[in-house]
Amino acid sequence: IILPLPFNSSSWPALLKMTTEIITTEDGSHSIRNVEMNETYHSIHGARQESMHVFIKNGFDYFVEGNTKEEIKIFEVGFGTGLNAWLTMLRAEELNKKISYTTVEAFPLDESIWSQLNYGDTSPENKKRFQELHQATWNKQVEISSHFNIEKLATTLQSASLLYHHFDIVFYDAFAPSKQPEMWEFAMLEKIFNAMNKGSILVTYCAKGQFKRDLKALDLTVETLPGPPGKLQMVRALNP
């Protein structure tokens, strides 16, 4: 399957051709493999359990605990399959939290791909709501439920305009530094930092030494945490 080009692809030359295939990871949940890059969107050891461990348990749940904010603003780098947004929406409803979710994606998946993903297969209602996430109009804020609204930006992080000191939680879920090094450059991390509120957090599966040093150079407090199955470590960075 050849995906359409993004609105602005000039900064991601390695991804100009993007052939994908759906794979089943070890926990039974789907992921996608980029054939040209030989890179998967999630851990082969379990897409859902990786997302739950890194972004929900150590990101969303950690921030929510003891926090009284009426609305939590989340920014995600890499909408991808929509798994992180999907799990966040479910968790927000469980905890009765209102979420404003913004995400960037330069290569939105075609319906022929996302419609086959099994994340919402637990019930017809869940499947319908997972579809609503993907069918939400791009570049426009859309209310999916009383607890969750989303704005999907069809652009690169390099081109996205982010509000200053706006977000409470950042899900940094770009492809690995070895595959997409431009996404992990200091300038990109500084752009994210400038968009983070005081007291906000950033979580990611990546625990590379240079990445952590760059976060510390931005005066973030960096925690190296146990990673999900198949990965030794992950990172959570706090903006004091």
Side-chain angles (χ1 to χ4, degrees), residues 209-223:
Q210 185 59 53
F211 171 63
K212 290 190 282 187
R213 287 189 290 273
D214 287 343
L215 292 177
K216 290 176 182 178
L218 292 167
D219 292 328
L220 293 170
T221 302
V222 177
E223 297 179 302

Side-chain angles (χ1 to χ4, degrees), residues 25-29 42-51 83 228-229:
T25 62
E26 290 180 9
D27 68 356
S29 59
H42 311 94
S43 170
I44 61 172
H45 300 285
R48 184 186 178 99
Q49 67 183 4
E50 177 190 44
S51 182
L83 179 58

Side-chain angles (χ1 to χ4, degrees), residues 26-27 76 90 200 224-225 239:
E26 290 180 9
D27 68 356
E76 179 189 35
L90 296 182
S200 61
T224 302
L225 306 173
N239 188 15

Side-chain angles (χ1 to χ4, degrees), residues 63-99:
F63 183 84
V64 166
E65 186 176 355
N67 194 293
T68 58
K69 292 194 71 167
E70 290 186 4
E71 182 176 30
I72 298 170
K73 297 179 175 65
I74 299 176
F75 180 66
E76 179 189 35
V77 178
F79 178 71
T81 64
L83 179 58
N84 293 335
W86 166 243
L87 293 176
T88 301
M89 180 170 69
L90 296 182
R91 190 68 175 138
E93 291 173 351
E94 289 175 4
L95 299 178
N96 194 30
K97 292 290 183 178
K98 184 172 177 59
I99 305 301

